[in-house]
Amino acid sequence: MQHSVSPVGIVRSCFKEKFAIPRQPQLAPAARGVLELLPPFDTGDAVAGLEQVSHVWLLFLFHQALEDKPRLKVRPPRLGGNKSMGVFATRATHRPNGIGQSVVRLQGVEPGRLLLSGIDLLDGTPVLDIKPYVPYADSVPEAVNGIASAAPAAIEVNWQASALEQAHANGLRLGEPLVALIEQCLAQDPRPAYQVPPAERVYGVRFWDVQVRWQYPTPESIRVIEVAPDR
Ligand code: SAM
């Protein structure tokens, strides 16, 4: 049986590339975005009542990881990228039908737009459905996951003084909690598993319209060295 689906909206996100997006929602509360609803869902009718809800489930398409041939086994980054697992045992982006799901904080409801935070979604992500989070049914206190039992350990993030000033200035310009966003995302340590880079190697990623650059002075710590508007 084949069934076609079409997006109800598109996410405009702080994340402009896949690198350095947290592996799950809620890990970076400062990660904000707007879900722009598409017709006919953009009039306010489809979201009436949603202002009574603090969190929503987003079902979305991993639009930058779609593949023709389904994978049965994947190598989750969480396991270091060198151990394979059944695709259904993981939250890997490469999966049959390319469907992702995230619980995100609902900061505001406007006709045609939902204001979101704590997202793990790339800019341009097509959203297939939106459902209210139902605490009594969706939260399972006794749940066990032996593969991902807790949030990944955070790494120390330090700042070069000039970079911190740049981050504050750009955050003010954007009206966004940019310092917190950078700290929360880099604390997840986005470098590929087991990569021990030389101290002088510079990593970079774009959040909003700024390019963030950092180094690893030690394998266990990050130093942010530049936060500059993208040229
Ligand atoms: N919470 C979701 C889930 O469990 O289905 C996503 C988990 S997945 C491991 C999270 C990663 O998906 C992020 O780190 C980011 O790199 C990637 N990602 C986010 N949006 C994407 C998109 N539209 N296309 C491809 N990859 C995406």
Side-chain angles (χ1 to χ4, degrees), residues 18-19 21-25 60-65 91-93 99-102 120-122 124-126:
K18 285 188 271 183
F19 185 52
I21 302 181
R23 292 195 185 129
Q24 287 299 340
F60 61 91
L61 213 52
F62 287 116
H63 73 304
Q64 283 202 8
R91 301 285 279 262
T93 58
I99 294 176
Q101 59 180 91
S102 294
D120 59 346
L121 306 171
L122 189 61
T125 296

Side-chain angles (χ1 to χ4, degrees), residues 1 5 15 20 32 53 63 76 80 90 118 144 156 159 167 182 231:
M1 186 187 78
V5 293
F15 298 122
R32 302 182 352 140
V53 165
H63 73 304
T90 80
V144 173
E156 185 183 324
W159 292 84
I182 293 169
R231 288 172 284 274

